[in-house]
């Protein structure tokens, strides 16, 4: 029975791989990249969009110079089904490596699936760059067992600890504005988070950091990522009189919470991680109820992080009709800004040569400067660096149907450093409802 299930699973995976989209014909003169993700939902589609855009750009200029010959990119699209079945995801990776003989694997969003897929790729000594998975364990494995895990790199996202830092920096920025406006030292804050392991990590970090930031936690409210009715908890937050709500949302609950907060006139600035708020259709999905909502995002129209930002956003929006998410941008940058230049520098597809190049180079991407960090012992982590000179995360605010960039706004990382901002950043706006509710007479 078990063998029959495995056989059927393999048949299904084979079907999806045969149905894959290729940009060039089969052959030795192609760099074969397996693009893996949950292709039936937005996360997987955005991974594919980013890969497609990168491959088209490279192939239009003749491909990648590998030693004495030019090789075009061939993408193999594979549905991991990772949110429903981790075993299916690992079988998908195995088939990409065995049947399609891919040179590289890019993708994987769910942490548990990325961990499992990482092991399979390491068994084959193939470079695997995950997109979206932020679990620190993925990169800690590299430091702890470099010989085995050196072929893994994180692309497209920071790890949870760095994402938490970005959240707290923006939370601190907004809290300072509120302190000045309301003439108070301590600001109350509520946490609204999904019931997921990644959110547990960020809540732990919040508990450590809030006292240092002059923030008083009034309560933590947990939801399913697909929750539709969150009204009762919104009413509890209202009664707590917290003018700040830190959200930690990756799913559709990000839309539900915002629409119901508006309906119940929640007097609070809502900010934090809300992946739905990064997308161009957020205003429509919330029926125009997202005014003043703040969130982390890779991009905002009109904000130029690097010289590549504006042309990338314009091209992506023209091709796919949306603002690129961090998943789409991360996949694009992984292929166009990391893999392709590293292959040309090595003049080879040899993974051992490429590892040394990738882990030591610095890359300019549409999201800013990417480089890989080491731990306190000097061991390679293959984790993206975070900070003023490296990968940062924008703070965006929805205002009258438009996404605006509001952070970094003259952010100073350490004493003596130059204030950091980007062209196109505008000032934060506090909702009139909050000013009315909390401003002292």
């Amino acid at each position: 029975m078990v063998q029959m299930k495995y056989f059927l699973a393999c048949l299904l995976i084979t079907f999806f791989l045969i149905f894959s989209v290729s940009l060039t014909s089969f052959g030795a003169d192609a760099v074969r990249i397996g693009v893996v993700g949950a292709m039936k939902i937005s996360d997987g589609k955005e991974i594919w969009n980013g890969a497609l855009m990168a491959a088209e750009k490279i192939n239009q200029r003749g491909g990648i110079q590998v030693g004495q010959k030019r090789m075009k990119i061939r993408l193999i699209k594979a549905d991991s089904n990772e949110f429903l079945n981790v075993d299916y995801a690992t079988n998908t990776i195995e088939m990409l490596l065995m049947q399609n003989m891919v040179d590289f694997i890019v993708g994987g969003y769910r942490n548990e699936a990325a961990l499992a897929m990482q092991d399979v790729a390491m068994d084959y000594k193939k470079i695997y760059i995950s997109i979206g998975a932020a679990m620190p364990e993925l990169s800690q494995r590299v430091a702890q067992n470099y010989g085995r895990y050196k072929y893994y790199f994180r692309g497209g996202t920071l790890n949870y600890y760095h994402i938490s830092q970005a959240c707290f920096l923006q939370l601190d920025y907004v809290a300072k504005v509120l302190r000045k406006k309301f003439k108070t030292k301590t600001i109350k804050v509520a946490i609204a988070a999904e019931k997921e392991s990644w959110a547990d990590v960020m809540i732990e970090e919040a508990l450590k950091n809030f006292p240092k930031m002059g923030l008083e936690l009034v309560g933590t409210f947990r939801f399913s990522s697909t929750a539709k009715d969150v009204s009762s908890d919104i009413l509890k937050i209202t009664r707590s009189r917290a003018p700040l709500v830190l959200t930690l949302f990756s799913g559709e609950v990000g839309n539900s919470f915002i629409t119901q907060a508006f309906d119940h006139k929640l007097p609070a600035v809502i900010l934090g991680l809300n992946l739905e708020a990064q997308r161009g259709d957020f205003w429509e999905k919330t029926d125009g109820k997202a005014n003043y909502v703040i969130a982390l995002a890779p991009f905002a129209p009109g904000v130029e992080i690097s010289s590549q930002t504006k042309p990338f956003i314009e091209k992506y929006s023209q091709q796919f009709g949306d603002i690129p998410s961090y998943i789409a941008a991360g996949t694009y940058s992984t292929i166009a800004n990391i893999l392709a230049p590293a292959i040309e520098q090595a003049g080879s597809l040899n993974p051992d040569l490429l590892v040394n190049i990738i882990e030591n180079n610095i890359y300019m991407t549409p999201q800013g400067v990417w480089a890989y960090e080491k731990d306190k012992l000097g061991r390679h982590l293959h984790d993206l660096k975070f900070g003023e000179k490296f990968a940062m995360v924008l703070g965006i605010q929805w205002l009258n149907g438009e996404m605006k960039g509001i952070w970094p706004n003259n952010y100073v990382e350490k004493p003596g450093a130059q204030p950091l901002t980007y062209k196109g950043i505008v000032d934060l706006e506090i909702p009139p409802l909050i000013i009315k509710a909390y401003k002292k007479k």
Side-chain angles (χ1 to χ4, degrees):
M1 187 67 180
V2 172
Q3 288 180 331
M4 178 59 72
K5 287 182 179 180
Y6 180 80
F7 175 74
L8 290 173
C10 287
L11 279 179
L12 283 170
I13 293 166
T14 302
F15 169 78
F16 285 118
L17 293 175
I18 290 171
F19 192 66
S20 68
V21 178
S22 66
L23 297 179
T24 67
S25 59
F26 282 97
D29 292 332
V31 177
R32 290 160 295 190
I33 302 176
V35 182
V36 61
M39 296 299 175
K40 297 184 183 68
I41 63 176
S42 60
D43 300 321
K45 291 173 184 176
E46 288 165 359
I47 288 173
W48 179 247
N49 289 349
L52 191 67
M53 191 170 159
E56 286 175 348
K57 178 183 178 180
I58 293 165
N59 288 343
Q60 282 169 8
R61 68 182 188 218
I64 302 172
Q65 188 70 39
V66 186
Q68 299 300 310
K69 61 182 177 181
R70 294 197 74 83
M71 300 174 69
K72 289 194 173 183
I73 290 177
R74 178 179 180 269
L75 299 180
I76 298 96
K77 183 179 184 180
D79 188 351
S80 63
N81 199 31
E82 60 197 72
F83 286 93
L84 297 178
N85 191 327
V86 171
D87 288 338
Y88 190 100
T90 56
N91 288 338
T92 300
I93 291 284
E94 193 107 37
M95 294 295 286
L96 280 171
L97 292 163
M98 290 176 60
Q99 180 171 308
N100 293 86
M101 305 293 289
V102 296
D103 302 297
F104 308 97
I105 294 175
V106 173
Y109 179 85
R110 183 185 172 197
N111 287 300
E112 293 82 359
L115 280 167
M117 291 190 288
Q118 181 189 46
D119 271 321
V120 176
M122 299 308 102
D123 288 342
Y124 286 83
K125 296 182 174 8
K126 292 291 184 180
I127 289 177
Y128 168 47
I129 305 180
S130 66
I131 305 294
M135 184 179 282
E137 283 83 347
L138 285 161
S139 55
Q140 288 167 358
R141 285 176 161 188
V142 179
Q144 293 162 1
N145 189 350
Y146 183 80
R148 172 170 170 76
Y149 289 101
K150 65 182 179 180
Y151 306 103
Y152 167 79
F153 292 85
R154 197 191 307 276
T157 186
L158 298 165
N159 67 37
Y160 289 151
Y161 297 120
H162 291 331
I163 294 172
S164 297
Q165 284 178 275
C167 269
F168 301 148
L169 286 170
Q170 294 176 35
L171 184 62
D172 187 55
Y173 169 63
V174 176
K176 284 176 179 174
V177 173
L178 294 183
R179 280 194 196 95
K180 185 176 180 181
K181 187 169 286 291
F182 300 148
K183 298 179 174 59
T184 183
K185 290 184 178 180
T186 302
I187 298 289
K188 292 181 178 180
V189 58
I191 295 176
E194 290 181 6
K195 296 175 182 175
E196 298 288 346
S197 59
W198 65 265
D200 295 340
V201 175
M202 296 183 71
I203 291 169
E204 276 183 38
E205 291 298 301
L207 295 175
K208 294 176 193 173
N209 284 274
F210 280 5
K212 305 173 195 173
M213 299 165 63
L215 299 173
E216 178 189 342
L217 181 64
V218 299
T220 301
F221 303 86
R222 307 299 296 267
F223 311 95
S224 158
S225 63
T226 57
K228 301 294 184 186
D229 185 1
V230 297
S231 295
S232 61
D233 285 314
I234 286 174
L235 293 173
K236 290 175 185 176
I237 295 171
T238 301
R239 289 193 292 270
S240 75
R241 290 190 57 77
L244 277 175
V245 178
L246 175 66
T247 58
L248 301 173
F249 295 145
S250 66
E252 293 177 2
V253 65
N255 295 325
S256 306
F257 189 90
I258 296 306
T259 55
Q260 290 164 46
F262 177 93
D263 292 340
H264 291 289
K265 296 182 171 58
L266 175 65
V269 177
I270 302 172
L271 77 161
L273 186 65
N274 185 343
L275 298 192
E276 290 295 317
Q278 296 181 5
R279 298 188 167 104
D281 60 357
F282 183 59
W283 190 262
E284 288 73 29
K285 283 185 175 179
T286 56
D287 299 322
K289 298 176 180 180
N291 218 17
Y292 302 106
V293 169
I294 300 169
L296 301 179
F299 303 112
V303 176
E304 297 182 29
I305 302 170
S306 78
S307 60
Q308 296 184 26
T309 308
K310 185 178 179 181
F312 172 72
I313 293 175
E314 289 176 350
K315 174 68 175 173
Y316 187 94
S317 299
Q318 180 184 20
Q319 189 165 346
F320 302 110
D322 201 357
I323 299 167
S325 68
Y326 79 95
I327 303 169
T331 309
Y332 170 88
S333 295
T334 291
I335 295 172
N337 300 114
I338 294 182
L339 278 179
I343 292 167
E344 293 196 338
Q345 185 177 338
S348 169
L349 301 181
N350 183 299
D352 291 290
L353 291 177
L354 290 169
V355 165
N356 183 59
I357 291 170
I358 293 171
E359 69 187 5
N360 289 301
N361 278 2
I362 295 175
Y363 309 90
M364 182 58 72
T365 78
Q367 294 159 282
V369 177
W370 280 11
Y372 286 99
E373 64 184 359
K374 297 178 181 179
D375 66 10
K376 293 178 181 178
L377 299 176
R379 301 177 299 180
H380 286 288
L381 284 167
H382 294 177
D383 227 341
L384 291 171
K385 289 184 178 181
F386 171 76
E388 178 186 347
K389 296 180 181 178
F390 298 101
M392 292 293 281
V393 185
L394 290 184
I396 59 99
Q397 185 173 36
W398 282 90
L399 296 168
N400 302 316
E402 295 184 342
M403 181 194 290
K404 300 288 186 179
I406 61 161
W407 191 91
N409 192 337
N410 294 312
Y411 163 65
V412 178
E413 187 172 42
K414 56 187 177 183
Q418 288 293 315
L420 175 66
T421 193
Y422 299 122
K423 182 181 177 181
I425 291 288
V426 302
D427 289 334
L428 161 75
E429 291 192 25
I430 302 297
L433 181 68
I434 289 139
I435 296 171
K436 182 180 178 182
Y438 295 105
K439 193 165 185 180
K440 292 180 180 178
K441 307 290 185 184

